[in-house]
Amino acid sequence: MPRALAYAGGPGARPDAVLARLDHVSAGLDTAPPATALRRRPDGTWRLTWCSAGHPPPLVVPAVGDAGHLPGAADPPLCVASDFLRTTHAHVLGPGDTLLLYTDGLIETPSAPIDEGQRRLASEAVLCRRRSLPDLLRVLQGLSDHRDDTAMLAFRVDEAP
């Protein structure tokens, strides 16, 4: 973000002005929509909206049933195609559903197609659906061959009262 703010300030942007702008922008981020947003709806469900910058699709593990990767093609990584029109996707999460956002390092290996890694992830996530989120993430981390960086973020909707 500081580099973008410095760029927006032009060639004469002073460091103090860039950092002051960063403070201002950071203070307003709780009202600005990020690239991925979760918003609670009045009925207790959550609406997920996201835009992918080349990452694999989010995985949803429903309270009951098979896990599935959310549809929608990934847009190119950031800073690759400045004229590309990005796409926002949406999905509603119900009580007990678990959302997993992750990087390709979790599922990609040189010896297997990426869709095989996605299937392994979905299968293992279903087996662990009742675990706490920290335990779920620890188990899923074991799927990585550790050749690439891995990041995961999990969110679970509260069960209905």
Side-chain angles (χ1 to χ4, degrees):
M1 190 180 306
R3 288 178 59 109
L5 294 171
Y7 176 81
R14 296 187 343 242
D16 63 322
V18 171
L19 293 181
R21 184 75 178 136
L22 178 62
D23 282 338
H24 176 75
V25 169
S26 295
L29 284 178
D30 55 344
T31 60
T36 301
L38 283 163
R39 301 211 195 288
R40 184 185 297 268
R41 296 167 22 143
D43 65 359
T45 61
W46 287 75
R47 184 170 192 268
L48 165 70
T49 56
W50 79 97
C51 179
S52 174
H55 290 102
L59 177 70
V60 173
V61 183
V64 176
D66 293 333
H69 291 88
L70 296 179
D75 290 345
L78 295 176
C79 306
V80 171
S82 62
D83 296 346
F84 186 83
L85 296 176
R86 295 189 175 274
T87 306
T88 295
H89 307 280
H91 182 80
V92 174
L93 300 167
D97 289 354
T98 301
L99 169 70
L100 182 68
L101 305 173
Y102 57 96
T103 58
D104 61 352
L106 181 64
I107 59 168
E108 198 169 44
T109 65
S111 61
I114 196 164
D115 58 334
E116 184 177 310
Q118 288 177 305
R119 281 192 298 277
R120 275 192 349 264
L121 174 62
S123 294
E124 191 65 30
V126 165
L127 293 174
C128 299
R129 86 170 88 225
R130 298 289 176 228
R131 291 181 180 242
S132 69
L133 291 182
D135 285 347
L136 172 69
L137 294 175
R138 273 192 287 280
V139 169
L140 296 181
Q141 180 65 37
L143 297 175
S144 172
D145 70 0
H146 306 289
R147 293 177 192 237
D148 193 1
D149 293 342
T150 299
M152 291 183 284
L153 178 68
F155 171 82
R156 183 171 292 143
V157 178
D158 291 338
E159 294 284 345

